[in-house]
Amino acid sequence: MSELRVGAHTSIAGGVSNAVDEQVEYGGNCGQIFTHSPQVWDHGSIEDSEADAFREASEANDIGPWMIHSSYLVNLCTPKEDLRAKSVDSMQQELDAADRLGVPYVNVHLGAHTGAGVDGGLANAGDALDELDVPDGVTILIESDAGSGTKLGGQFEHLAQVQSNTAHDLEFCVDTAHAWAAGYDISTPEGVAETFAEFDDVVGLDQLAYVHLNDSKHECGTNKDEHAHIGEGEIGYDGMKAFVNRTVEEGVPMALETPTEDGKSFAWNIERVRELHQE
């Protein structure tokens, strides 16, 4: 049986190596970070000593693989040249940071086509990705989206198409709350099996590198993205259990972006995932 790899999105406040300490506190053994505030373009800098400390602490505590989540401002699908240029520059800085930190993945949303159309937006994304210099040992992950408005990535076909539009070997991160919002019914073991089969047919399970594991506060197909505690949202206990166990079976790590509310935090959700895996 494959090893369960589950962790949380942790903070680099006070130094990037602090994310490792926070992950240990939660009981996680992999996870996700921002390298800077996701609401601004300014990346700041990571000192060599901090990068070394992050690598050493991760290895000492057997935490990995890590994933960097790109800025929320990045829009690869945009037809606007200034936004595209900023997005490419931001992504390049994330890739370079991943190389320095020994992080194998940089995760990004495709963004919104804002009138360019689905095909046009996905073509824009492919062109933007082709401008990036991806370091050896680092892979770009395209995250599945909830699909609201003109945002792309809600359908697995979008993921497959952007892969065909770029020279880079992309891999993918499926967010369970996003997939649910986009219309993939993963509330039952049968639905989970069908969703994995569809992903395999359209994209390829060998390209699934990470999962964002989140329950949802909204019904399937509403395109509403609001996360809930594992097993306590609309996806529910049976769906989350089936998804966890299939994900572990595929050898794919999971990062939580669950809320901190109702007296429950990342530590509670990580323990819930471990319980679901054991059952």
Side-chain angles (χ1 to χ4, degrees), residues 21-34:
D21 297 334
E22 188 177 340
Q23 199 67 253
V24 170
E25 179 183 340
Y26 293 145
N29 59 7
C30 64
Q32 177 178 268
I33 59 171
F34 291 123

Side-chain angles (χ1 to χ4, degrees), residues 19-276:
V20 182
D21 297 334
E22 188 177 340
Q23 199 67 253
V24 170
E25 179 183 340
Y26 293 145
N29 59 7
C30 64
Q32 177 178 268
I33 59 171
F34 291 123
T35 61
H36 67 295
S37 169
Q39 307 289 356
V40 300
W41 291 112
D42 182 18
H43 280 246
S45 62
I46 298 173
E47 299 295 330
D48 289 343
S49 59
E50 269 300 311
D52 291 343
F54 176 85
R55 287 174 177 263
E56 292 165 4
S58 295
E59 182 176 358
N61 290 282
D62 186 29
I63 295 180
W66 286 97
M67 172 170 57
I68 290 172
H69 195 301
S70 65
S71 169
Y72 293 141
L73 300 178
V74 168
N75 187 345
L76 300 177
C77 295
T78 182
K80 300 176 182 177
E81 288 298 326
D82 57 340
L83 179 54
R84 170 201 176 97
K86 288 181 179 179
S87 297
V88 169
D89 179 67
S90 180
M91 279 295 294
Q92 189 63 60
Q93 291 188 65
E94 301 287 23
L95 292 166
D96 293 341
D99 187 37
R100 294 182 61 219
L101 293 169
V103 171
Y105 301 119
V106 172
N107 181 64
V108 63
H109 296 268
L110 286 173
H113 68 70
T114 61
V118 172
D119 290 341
L122 293 174
N124 290 341
D127 290 343
L129 289 166
D130 282 342
E131 294 185 37
L132 298 170
D133 180 11
V134 182
D136 290 341
V138 179
T139 299
I140 298 171
L141 303 187
I142 304 297
E143 181 178 344
S144 68
D145 201 272
S148 62
T150 66
K151 290 182 179 178
L152 300 180
Q155 302 305 310
F156 295 158
E157 287 79 8
H158 296 173
L159 308 182
Q161 188 171 336
V162 77
Q163 172 66 93
S164 69
N165 287 347
T166 177
H168 292 302
D169 292 326
L170 305 175
E171 294 185 10
F172 300 92
C173 172
V174 168
D175 185 306
T176 52
H178 294 175
W180 171 259
Y184 294 95
D185 187 348
I186 53 173
S187 62
T188 65
E190 296 77 15
V192 169
E194 290 172 5
T195 299
F196 270 85
E198 182 171 348
F199 186 91
D200 192 28
D201 182 57
V202 175
V203 182
L205 278 174
D206 58 333
Q207 303 301 307
L208 180 61
Y210 232 108
V211 161
H212 279 166
L213 193 74
N214 304 296
D215 211 323
S216 175
K217 293 184 178 180
H218 300 281
E219 294 180 1
C220 185
T222 60
N223 302 121
K224 293 181 178 180
D225 178 22
E226 191 175 4
H227 299 176
H229 296 302
I230 301 301
E232 298 201 345
E234 293 296 320
I235 298 174
Y237 185 90
D238 290 343
M240 286 279 95
K241 178 182 175 181
F243 205 100
V244 164
N245 284 288
R246 179 60 188 273
T247 302
V248 176
E249 180 183 325
E250 296 294 335
V252 177
M254 296 171 280
L256 298 167
E257 299 171 323
T258 46
T260 297
E261 60 187 18
D262 303 324
K264 298 168 184 173
S265 65
F266 282 134
W268 184 92
N269 282 281
I270 288 172
E271 182 58 31
R272 168 56 70 93
V273 173
R274 295 191 186 282
E275 291 171 357
L276 294 178

